[in-house]
Amino acid sequence: MKLVAVGRMKDKAEVALVERYLKRLRPRLDIVELPDGRGSPDEIKRREGQAILAACPPQAFIVVLDEAGKSWSSVEFSSAIADWSALGRPLCFVIGGAEGLDAAVIARSDAALSFGSLTWPHMLVRIMLVEQIYRVQAIAAGHPYHRAGRP
């Protein structure tokens, strides 16, 4: 699995949270950080979009994080990842930059995930996604980390 994200994590506390879950993931999640684009908003989206698509393997199953995407429960997300993984294609999650995702990236994507209608900082979305991928693996393994429905 791969996470392609625009922007570089610099805050030590944010990096520590991501590392906390990355250490536990099997198979591991590779993170590719792309530089923020420069220029007009349209130019930024276009350039970032090109870089995103270049960072994803051609045959990848691409899941974009987008507010217009589907909101799953953790159990539903676990099932979706199992289904996507069964396709035999590399799984690639994408987090765009501040201007959003270019239309070419959305058109190339196979699925869109939303963490709700609230606007989240991109670095926080990265932390939340990595934690949810770890949670997905815990659900699949029957590990007690995921305790949904328990008091």
Side-chain angles (χ1 to χ4, degrees):
M1 286 188 293
K2 183 187 277 192
L3 167 58
V4 177
V6 174
R8 302 203 188 282
M9 279 199 134
K10 298 173 190 134
D11 182 274
K12 290 179 183 175
E14 293 170 344
V15 171
L17 282 169
V18 169
E19 292 293 328
R20 176 181 181 178
Y21 295 105
L22 286 177
K23 288 189 299 189
R24 302 174 184 180
L25 289 176
R26 300 290 179 271
R28 65 179 269 130
L29 175 69
D30 294 319
I31 297 180
V32 176
E33 293 183 318
L34 302 173
D36 293 305
R38 301 278 185 240
S40 70
D42 287 341
E43 185 67 13
I44 289 169
K45 283 173 66 169
R46 187 186 65 74
R47 288 181 181 175
E48 289 176 352
Q50 289 173 339
I52 287 167
L53 292 175
C56 295
Q59 73 282 16
F61 187 95
I62 297 177
V63 181
V64 295
L65 276 84
D66 187 82
E67 68 179 10
K70 183 172 179 168
S71 292
W72 281 287
S73 70
S74 294
V75 172
E76 291 168 335
F77 189 45
S78 177
S79 178
I81 286 184
D83 292 346
W84 300 334
S85 296
L87 297 173
R89 296 165 59 191
L91 193 51
C92 196
F93 293 93
V94 171
I95 300 172
E99 298 299 335
L101 292 167
D102 188 61
V105 176
I106 293 171
R108 168 60 184 87
S109 69
D110 297 287
L113 168 65
S114 172
F115 284 146
S117 57
L118 296 173
T119 301
W120 297 99
H122 287 83
M123 295 306 163
L124 187 52
V125 168
R126 192 181 307 190
I127 295 164
M128 292 170 22
L129 177 62
V130 173
E131 187 280 337
Q132 282 299 300
I133 292 171
Y134 173 71
R135 184 175 297 275
V136 159
Q137 290 184 356
I139 290 168
H143 189 278
Y145 178 81
H146 179 73
R147 295 182 178 99
R150 295 185 190 169

